[in-house]
Amino acid sequence: MPTRRNFVLSLSALGAASTAWACPVPVLRNDAPHSVLMLNAACGDTGTPNVFTPAILHIDLGDSVTFVPTDGGHNAASKRGMIPEGAKPWNGAIDEELTVSFTVPGVYGCVCLPHYEMGMVGVIIVGEDLSNLEKAKKVRHPGAARKAFRRLLSELEA
């Protein structure tokens, strides 16, 4: 039975015939208008391993985001201390698609638990509300995640 993941991978394979490295195309659904791909390498940059694409996503209050395990070995989880007060944390299973609804405005940090130390992190901004940005910036991170979150959060201030 065709799955969304297989469809995305098929699109990647078709694009690979015309380019050296094709970026997967997220398939959007009506119940989740936003998708974040979980990839083993950044599109067009095999030197940047384990990424969320996009790494920064702006959405409206009440929108849902589907985290798509385009490549194997990834999951999506909220980062403790990097979600707005009153927001519900999430922790998806490895290699499983996860849809999260965002009902509290603010900045959300997300990580792939197996690759967190390697810098596989992302940021979702709900409703253009940056009120918890300073709190999110104070959270400590191991390894490459520290630099990755610093870069993403500084982009929000620019």
Side-chain angles (χ1 to χ4, degrees):
M1 175 176 186
T3 66
R4 183 167 127 163
R5 180 176 178 195
N6 289 341
F7 180 71
V8 170
L9 293 173
S10 297
L11 288 176
S12 300
L14 288 173
S18 62
T19 63
W21 172 251
C23 296
V25 178
V27 179
L28 303 177
R29 300 185 322 212
N30 290 334
D31 60 336
H34 307 282
S35 291
V36 173
L37 303 180
M38 297 181 271
L39 302 169
N40 289 341
C43 289
D45 180 9
T46 56
T48 304
N50 303 312
V51 295
F52 288 110
T53 298
I56 298 176
L57 180 63
H58 294 266
I59 66 172
D60 293 324
L61 186 63
D63 281 357
S64 294
V65 175
T66 298
F67 294 90
V68 182
T70 308
D71 294 327
H74 302 293
N75 84 320
S78 57
K79 175 61 185 149
R80 187 173 38 175
M82 294 187 74
I83 64 174
E85 195 166 315
K88 184 178 176 185
W90 70 90
N91 185 2
I94 292 176
D95 292 334
E96 298 230 350
E97 190 173 283
L98 173 70
T99 299
V100 179
S101 295
F102 293 86
T103 59
V104 177
V107 175
Y108 292 75
C110 57
V111 301
C112 168
L113 293 174
H115 303 106
Y116 171 45
E117 277 192 53
M118 297 170 69
M120 188 167 176
V121 302
V123 176
I124 298 172
I125 302 88
V126 179
E128 300 301 322
D129 183 339
L130 301 178
S131 60
N132 67 316
L133 178 60
E134 289 306 313
K135 180 181 173 191
K137 287 169 55 177
K138 292 178 183 176
V139 174
R140 294 181 178 262
H141 307 282
R146 178 181 312 117
K147 183 179 179 182
F149 265 129
R150 186 179 305 134
R151 179 182 55 80
L152 294 174
L153 295 175
S154 67
E155 284 184 36
L156 295 180
E157 292 181 312

